[in-house]
């Protein structure tokens, strides 16, 4: 009897232990993946790596110190310095035979420069003309156009269809002023057989300087007998 009871007790005890173990396992959270193992660089290796990076930076700085002075000493000048000067008088002399008159080669004071000077043969409109481009001291642009065959349609095209807004006296001549908002303004003068047109967005005082120089040049051309006199300078129209 005693042995049987002890056996029963042991069986019950083992069953209870198994149940307790299962319950403890169920109550514990599931373990996640093991943490990543970070490689540990020995101090000597890290020191060698830092020394290599510092060496590269020092080598780069030394290279820049050698190259930069060479680049700065041989820096390319601005594109404007490569532009040859425009000899307006020479270009006008070359165009004289084709034009039938001496084109105006305005001589202007210091601060002015010339972009171009050329003769243009007649296109579909049938009007050949001389033109030169001037940059004013205020860095504005004024074009000078001259022809002996101007007509109203051509004049309107050259001046951007701007209306006549008045006259502007320059010396002994009265130029016709054409202007409209947001567009170039123009001064026009019929003078000694040719029509002179000045167009641009510069101040009218700078227009006056170029207008006076163009008239002086036209007078000099007349004195050499290469321009056709046509009386005193007059406007192409407009109110007085």
């Amino acid at each position: 009897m005693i042995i049987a009871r002890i056996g029963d007790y042991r069986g019950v005890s083992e069953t209870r232990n198994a149940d307790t173990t299962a319950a403890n396992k169920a109550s514990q959270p599931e373990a996640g993946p093991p943490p990543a193992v970070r490689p540990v660089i020995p101090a000597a290796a890290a020191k060698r790596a830092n020394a290599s990076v510092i060496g590269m930076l020092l080598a780069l700085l030394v290279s820049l110190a050698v190259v930069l002075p060479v680049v700065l000493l041989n820096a390319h000048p601005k594109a404007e310095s490569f532009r040859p000067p425009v000899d307006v008088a020479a270009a006008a002399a070359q165009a004289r035979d084709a034009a039938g008159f001496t084109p105006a080669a305005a001589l202007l004071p210091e601060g002015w420069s010339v972009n171009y000077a050329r003769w243009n043969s007649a296109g579909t409109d049938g009007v050949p003309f001389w033109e030169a481009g001037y940059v004013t001291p205020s860095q504005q642009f004024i074009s000078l156009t001259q022809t002996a065959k101007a007509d109203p349609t051509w004049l309107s095209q050259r001046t951007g269809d701007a209306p006549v807004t008045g006259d502007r006296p320059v010396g002994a001549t009265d130029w016709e002023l054409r202007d409209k908002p947001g567009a170039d303004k123009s001064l026009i003068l019929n003078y000694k057989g040719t029509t002179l047109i000045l167009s641009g967005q510069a101040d009218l005082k700078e227009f006056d300087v170029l207008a006076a120089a163009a008239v002086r040049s036209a007078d000099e051309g007349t004195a050499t007998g290469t321009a056709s006199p046509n009386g005193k300078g007059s406007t192409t129209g407009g109110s007085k």
Side-chain angles (χ1 to χ4, degrees):
M1 296 295 291
I2 296 173
I3 295 174
R5 289 179 182 176
I6 293 174
D8 292 342
Y9 175 79
R10 288 180 177 176
V12 173
S13 177
E14 289 176 357
T15 302
R16 289 180 178 178
N17 290 339
D19 293 341
T20 303
T21 301
N24 290 337
K25 290 183 178 180
S27 62
Q28 292 178 354
E30 295 183 1
V37 179
R38 295 183 179 180
V40 178
I41 301 175
K47 186 175 181 180
R48 287 195 299 269
N50 291 334
S52 299
V53 173
I54 295 173
M56 291 175 60
L57 293 176
L58 290 176
L60 179 60
L61 292 175
V62 171
S63 300
L64 291 175
V66 173
V67 173
L68 281 179
V70 178
V71 173
L72 294 176
L73 290 175
N74 295 277
H76 295 289
K78 293 183 179 179
E80 290 81 357
S81 63
F82 290 103
R83 181 181 298 167
V86 178
D87 190 337
V88 182
Q94 293 174 357
R96 182 170 52 201
D97 292 340
F101 60 89
T102 300
L107 298 178
L108 294 161
E110 185 178 356
W112 289 73
S113 60
V114 184
N115 270 355
Y116 59 85
R118 59 189 174 229
W119 174 255
N120 296 276
S121 301
T124 56
D125 53 15
V127 181
F129 59 93
W130 161 260
E131 65 175 347
Y134 294 88
V135 179
T136 73
S138 64
Q139 298 302 302
Q140 296 298 316
F141 178 79
I142 304 176
S143 65
L144 182 155
T145 306
Q146 185 180 18
T147 184
K149 297 184 178 181
D151 59 60
T153 301
W154 183 82
L155 281 174
S156 180
Q157 292 174 346
R158 293 296 298 182
T159 57
D161 297 322
V164 177
T165 56
D167 291 343
R168 186 168 182 84
V170 180
T173 58
D174 286 331
W175 295 67
E176 178 184 272
L177 174 62
R178 297 190 183 190
D179 193 10
K180 67 179 180 180
D184 291 349
K185 47 184 169 285
S186 300
L187 293 181
I188 305 173
L189 178 70
N190 282 342
Y191 193 71
K192 296 185 177 181
T194 68
T195 300
L196 291 163
I197 306 172
L198 308 181
S199 297
Q201 295 185 347
D203 189 271
L204 283 174
K205 291 182 179 179
E206 292 181 320
F207 270 80
D208 293 345
V209 175
L210 181 55
V215 169
R216 286 194 301 269
S217 179
D219 288 340
E220 292 171 359
T222 301
T224 62
T226 57
S228 301
N230 189 31
K232 188 177 179 181
S234 61
T235 62
T236 59
S239 58
K240 295 291 184 182

